[in-house]
Amino acid sequence: MGTPMPTPDKIDFTKLPIYKPEVECASRERIRAIQLARLIQQVEYTYARVPWYRSQMDEMGVSPADIKTLEDVRLLPFTDKAALRETFPFGMFATPLDEIVELHSSSGTTGKPIVVGYTKEDMDVWSECIARLAQMAGVTAADRVQMAFGYGMFTGGFGLHYGVQRIGGTMIPAGAGNTERHIQMIEDYGTTVLIATPSYAMHICEVGESMGFDWASSTLQVGLFGGEPCPPGLKTEIESRMHITCTDNYGLTEVMGPGVSGECLAHRDQQHIAEDHFLWEVVDPETGEPVAEGEMGELVLTPLDKKGIPVLRYRTHDLTRVVTDKCECGRTLARMQKVRSRCDDMLIIRGTNVFPSQVEDVISDIELLAPHYHIIVDNETGLDRMTVEVEIKPEAFSDSYEEMKGFAGEVRDKLRSVLLVTPVVKLVEPGGLTRTMGKAKHVDDLRK
Ligand SMILES: [Zn+2]
């Protein structure tokens, strides 16, 4: 697991506002009662309106009347990306298009994108979920919030935009790109909150430093991150260099977009799930059977009041574990461990399972390495070969070939001890690995 993150001394998280305490701090019994009432309604709604689910359930011999407890969710069919693709674009919609007020889509890097539609009620739930996580990070109506996500079809931009407006914050919709302009705007407008992917926030930080911008005395206080998993090492680095507190949230287009869960400052490797809107299950990715409470498995989500596209039991392919004890921040909503790996991220190298997050953890523990890496896997020579490119910090740079070779060897040995696979380690000069505006791409699997 990742390095535990300290809560910055300046923030007393027990004093931060809670957006909807009657739900976020309700008893577990109360939360389960809300979930059950909504689940029953949602299954009826979905069965009545979406032919795809009706035929799946008929085939399985399940009817909405069979849902009597929360555990009965297991009687329902799973949904995966393939089902949403097959029915492209609007086959899974439960309402006519004239009730849909906004469309978004997944990036569609492989094959057709997935299109999702939101009714007015859906937009309301979505912005509330974002408002909750923004408040968990301390954002209030007094904040000036600069958007560095792209707007467009991607759910991150508009989702965060509406949620911040919901609590009365001032949105500055700068959008993606033009890093120097972002820095200028922070200075001109007195921006206090930055919304970005963690890798782009790091890029803004570095460009600012190279321009001589003094982050320590800037108005910026909070980073709201999303769009990609945030390695703990990268976050610590950004927090210390930009002098801000950063939280990240979790979500996916297929079930809503960002806002399914968000980090509070009491447990920085976990995120509170908006359980009144999402029923979670953790299952064994191979068998689909539930794992014991607190065990690691694949997260499965059922949105409980979604009207545009009511998805049942969506298989996220994200690996996590969930705990339900009361949090020190006062919330009782369950906490999921931050997703570091996806079932399908797993690389099988010479028969050994390797997760990119393991590489990330090793790198973040090595003082002289920057939190950037790139993995290349090929089999040109007939055998799998894994190459890890890592970026050294300026203070580790040396003209001596021998010294650099020795350092690469140390990194290789540390990686080998964790991965049980021996990689080739290539040291890259400071700033040498590509930074991206959107999701960082950490792996190239070139095997034929
Ligand atoms: Zn908490």
Side-chain angles (χ1 to χ4, degrees):
M1 292 301 98
T3 327
M5 297 268 309
T7 297
D9 299 335
K10 54 187 175 178
I11 295 181
D12 179 355
F13 56 78
T14 60
K15 295 213 166 64
L16 294 179
I18 295 181
Y19 188 78
K20 202 170 195 178
E22 66 274 28
V23 173
E24 293 179 81
C25 307
S27 69
R28 293 299 305 164
E29 294 70 41
R30 170 90 188 113
I31 291 167
R32 287 176 62 87
I34 296 172
Q35 288 186 313
L36 180 58
R38 291 185 175 174
L39 177 67
I40 290 170
Q41 250 179 17
Q42 188 70 359
V43 174
E44 279 169 5
Y45 176 86
T46 307
Y47 184 85
R49 289 174 175 243
V50 186
W52 190 88
Y53 281 110
R54 192 157 57 240
S55 68
Q56 293 274 318
M57 286 171 64
D58 287 348
E59 217 167 278
M60 294 165 78
V62 191
S63 94
D66 294 326
I67 306 299
K68 297 190 175 76
T69 69
L70 285 178
E71 286 65 36
D72 291 335
V73 73
R74 294 175 202 154
L75 301 170
L76 299 169
F78 284 120
T79 311
D80 59 16
K81 232 183 203 72
L84 295 172
R85 281 216 178 99
E86 271 165 35
T87 53
F88 178 87
F90 305 133
M92 291 292 235
F93 281 36
T95 52
L97 261 285
D98 54 9
E99 285 171 40
I100 299 288
V101 297
E102 195 157 317
L103 288 180
H104 282 278
S105 74
S106 66
S107 49
T109 38
T110 49
K112 283 256 186 235
I114 283 159
V115 180
V116 292
Y118 302 75
T119 64
K120 260 195 180 133
E121 296 102 305
D122 292 337
M123 295 305 292
D124 196 48
V125 170
W126 192 16
S127 60
E128 183 187 314
C129 289
I130 300 288
R132 290 184 195 179
L133 67 90
Q135 292 226 308
M136 282 182 215
V139 177
T140 68
D143 279 299
R144 298 169 203 177
V145 184
Q146 190 164 317
M147 174 67 73
F149 282 158
Y151 281 88
M153 296 305 282
F154 160 64
T155 48
F158 281 104
L160 270 293
H161 184 104
Y162 297 135
V164 167
Q165 285 190 333
R166 177 76 166 252
I167 51 179
T170 308
M171 273 311 301
I172 306 170
N178 203 335
T179 308
E180 293 186 6
R181 181 167 152 264
H182 267 293
I183 294 160
Q184 190 62 51
M185 287 171 81
I186 291 170
E187 189 163 35
D188 290 345
Y189 301 145
T191 302
T192 54
V193 180
L194 176 70
I195 298 175
T197 60
S199 34
Y200 189 50
M202 188 69 221
H203 182 63
I204 293 178
C205 171
E206 288 174 338
V207 171
E209 285 168 354
S210 71
M211 288 163 64
F213 186 77
D214 178 17
W215 290 111
S217 62
S218 92
T219 49
L220 204 62
Q221 289 168 11
V222 172
L224 291 182
F225 292 166
E228 65 184 10
C230 184
L234 180 61
K235 194 193 282 183
T236 312
E237 180 90 10
I238 294 170
E239 291 194 326
S240 70
R241 278 164 72 176
M242 292 180 99
H243 300 267
I244 59 178
T245 302
C246 307
T247 69
D248 60 321
N249 77 84
Y250 171 84
L252 58 178
T253 305
E254 294 83 349
V255 300
M256 182 173 77
V260 172
S261 68
E263 170 187 339
C264 80
L265 294 170
H267 288 275
R268 306 214 56 202
D269 58 341
Q270 298 174 346
Q271 293 157 327
H272 285 286
I273 302 172
E275 284 185 285
D276 48 332
H277 301 297
F278 298 93
L279 182 64
W280 54 269
E281 298 169 76
V282 181
V283 305
D284 179 322
E286 299 289 326
T287 64
E289 292 300 317
V291 300
E293 169 139 0
E295 292 289 305
M296 192 65 114
E298 180 183 347
L299 181 68
V300 174
L301 291 169
T302 302
L304 291 170
D305 46 11
K306 208 149 162 261
K307 298 288 180 255
I309 295 195
V311 182
L312 303 178
R313 301 192 85 199
Y314 188 74
R315 294 196 64 155
T316 65
H317 294 293
D318 289 327
L319 297 172
T320 187
R321 53 167 67 96
V322 178
V323 295
T324 57
D325 56 319
K326 188 179 175 186
C327 181
E328 289 83 340
C329 74
R331 291 177 183 80
T332 48
L333 294 175
R335 282 166 285 146
M336 58 184 264
Q337 186 177 309
K338 284 188 185 170
V339 172
R340 301 289 312 284
S341 310
R342 290 174 52 77
C343 312
D344 37 11
D345 277 345
M346 192 176 75
L347 295 163
I348 303 176
I349 295 169
R350 298 193 192 185
T352 303
N353 300 345
V354 173
F355 284 102
S357 58
Q358 294 175 299
V359 173
E360 223 159 73
D361 288 344
V362 171
I363 288 169
S364 66
D365 281 343
I366 302 175
E367 186 83 352
L368 294 172
L369 291 181
H372 305 288
Y373 68 96
H374 184 211
I375 299 169
I376 302 147
V377 189
D378 64 45
N379 56 0
E380 262 173 45
T381 56
L383 281 173
D384 293 340
R385 180 177 58 179
M386 177 183 190
T387 305
V388 181
E389 296 178 332
V390 293
E391 190 176 305
I392 54 175
K393 287 187 180 164
E395 58 268 35
F397 192 71
S398 159
D399 287 338
S400 153
Y401 175 75
E402 286 306 312
E403 258 178 51
M404 288 288 95
K405 200 175 150 197
F407 184 42
E410 278 172 42
V411 176
R412 180 198 59 218
D413 293 346
K414 284 193 177 150
L415 285 167
R416 177 171 52 203
S417 70
V418 172
L419 308 179
L420 311 177
V421 164
T422 308
V424 176
V425 169
K426 279 195 184 157
L427 300 182
V428 176
E429 60 183 11
L433 288 177
T434 318
R435 314 289 196 262
T436 51
M437 310 273 188
K439 296 185 188 203
K441 188 166 187 276
H442 291 298
V443 181
D444 275 313
D445 193 341
L446 307 175
R447 285 177 289 190
K448 306 248 158 46

